[in-house]
Amino acid sequence: MTSQADGAPRSAVTPQAAGGAHAAGGAHAAGTARAAGTGVTVLIPELTAVVGADGVITDPMQLRTYECDGLTAHRCSPGIVVLPQTADQVAAVVTACAAAGVPFVARGSGTGLSGGALPRADGVLVVTSRMRRIIEIDPASRRAVVEPGVTNLAVSKAAQPYGLFYAPDPSSQQICSVGGNVAENSGGAHCLKHGFTVHHVTGLEIVTPAGELTWLGDGTGAAPGYDLLGAFTGSEGTLGIVTKIVVRLTLIPQAVTTLLAAFDTTGHGGAAVSAIIGAGILPAAIEMMDALSIEAAETAVACHYPVGAGAVLIVELDGPAADVRSETAAVRRLVTEAGAFEIREAADPAERAAIWTGRRSAFAAVGRISPAYIVQDGVVPRTALPEVLDRISALSAAAGLRVANVFHAGDGNLHPLVLFDDSSAVQSAAAEELSGAILDLCIAHGGSITGEHGVGVDKSRYMPRMFGADDLDTMQLLRCAFDPAGLCNPGKIFPTPRMCGEVPGIRRGPHPLVASGQAELF
Ligand SMILES: Cc1cc2nc3c(=O)[nH]c(=O)nc-3n(C[C@H](O)[C@H](O)[C@H](O)COP(=O)(O)OP(=O)(O)OC[C@H]3O[C@@H](n4cnc5c(N)ncnc54)[C@H](O)[C@@H]3O)c2cc1C
């Protein structure tokens, strides 16, 4: 993805930019590690034999296309890019990497916002964009089998003639791949009711980091034994490469209502969110935008939201027509009680699209009112929304930087956008600091450092703020069970690229799980 031109958020050079990207993944865990930029080229003949000459990219200019994902602050040109067309080819590529001790990274559409698909200079980038077959749409069992490079929206389009759709709907759904969605456990506006990717994946064909082609889950979602499918979903490309995905398809709802409610403050909007959920209503989506993000959207797409709004809520209800009618009436009453000064209800699909236009454009629109911005992704309990938004506002004032809030309010999944001038080193550093302080705020309120964008390379340094050493070591046990050589997307998620079996410096004895006989290090 090439950032601004594609509408991806601009995130300018930060203290951990370019060089930081190398540093983060620089010391990969395998004992067979090679010096950056060398070694990997010996694989060119073998990889060419697997995927053909037109499936291998080694030209430095072309390699730069893949140097970052949607988070452009982290960049690194890959050693080699391969474009396999089949699962067998992926397996052969990974087998070659494993045999040579060369690290590899999977990449779908490169829209990730945490540097998860950041390549390695000494590694192979496995890009799935040529694996775009929708293998099966099975309306009777309401499932689809797709290859990893298929875009999210393409699944719903293929299912639509059968009255079905694929529910997880990241805002990037026109371009992001289902493989990337699985790796990030992606969500979207309608995940409040319909669930995240993990709730819709019932089987995965994967290539393990050793190069073995195998299946996780049996396609029914009811396989006995450990839930490795659940563990793999959201593992950010660190446990293997997905080559086929079995997904659930959902009935297109009989009726949909979309409401836009305008409030004086985000506090009133937040109170409305709690009131709706507290009343036992589960909308498909509840999205919030604050005054600054409304201003940005107006500038970009003239969405004509109510004048003077300090916050707007978009509430979408779907389901059987009778239910939607009664819930719509209840939501109208609840938002009025919470202080809404104007409520609009879409009368038809065109008006619905008009309401959503401002929300959908918001990330890119902020690029029009600021030279650069950081997209943050944190989670707080819904009930804490008013307080956390007030605190973000205070932090923003103290830092002298504007913060626009546009987010999945129903899930408590915040997306504060920290605006700054990337030509100023002082502002860049302050933006990073403010961004981290917002995550601290989320943690302090019992939330999380990421709701849907993943940890990747960008947030690995924040993991110790949320998890203790024991937690992180336990996660490493799982990672090492899949990838003992540490070759599969190394340098991501965890703060230090620790070798499998390595006991961390600060620990004096064995890991508690090892001591209790529940796990072993290898
Ligand atoms: C404008 C914009 C809006 C967005 N909105 C949302 C949103 O609403 N909700 C949301 O959740 N995200 C959102 N995102 C983030 C991003 O689109 C998602 O994380 C998406 O799932 C990434 O898919 P991708 O194909 O681009 O993956 P990539 O960016 O290519 O890769 C992401 C991660 O997946 C791994 N990966 C990719 N393919 C495979 C595979 N086949 N096997 C194993 N690992 C693999 C990579 O190694 C990397 O770690 C948004 C991004 C942008 C730019």
Side-chain angles (χ1 to χ4, degrees), residues 49-148:
V50 173
V51 296
D54 74 335
V56 177
I57 298 173
T58 55
D59 172 63
M61 286 306 288
Q62 289 185 42
L63 289 174
R64 289 200 61 188
T65 305
Y66 301 93
E67 69 181 2
C68 66
D69 60 9
L71 182 65
T72 56
H74 300 266
R75 293 172 190 266
C76 173
S77 269
I80 299 175
V81 167
V82 291
L83 299 153
Q85 299 187 41
T86 66
D88 286 336
Q89 288 182 357
V90 176
V93 167
V94 172
T95 301
C97 289
V102 166
F104 55 91
V105 177
R107 176 181 167 116
S109 303
T111 66
L113 290 173
S114 55
L118 186 76
R120 299 266 306 201
D122 61 346
V124 174
L125 188 70
V126 183
V127 181
T128 61
S129 55
R130 291 187 179 173
M131 300 176 71
R132 284 189 181 238
R133 281 185 314 140
I134 293 180
I135 295 164
E136 183 186 6
I137 299 282
D138 179 355
S141 44
R142 290 192 196 165
R143 62 171 214 166
V145 184
V146 303
E147 289 186 330

Side-chain angles (χ1 to χ4, degrees), residues 15 20 34 204 250 263 269 436:
R34 296 164 187 234
L204 290 175
T250 305
F263 300 85

Side-chain angles (χ1 to χ4, degrees), residues 286-322:
I286 310 182
E287 299 285 299
M288 196 192 294
M289 293 170 68
D290 71 1
L292 187 54
S293 59
I294 295 168
E295 176 196 325
E298 290 292 352
T299 311
V301 294
C303 48
H304 303 305
Y305 285 170
V307 177
V312 294
L313 276 189
I314 297 173
V315 184
E316 193 153 280
L317 298 144
D318 70 12

Side-chain angles (χ1 to χ4, degrees), residues 24-49:
H28 94 66
T32 48
R34 296 164 187 234
T38 63
V40 64
T41 50
V42 301
L43 284 178
I44 292 172
E46 198 173 342
L47 298 179
T48 305

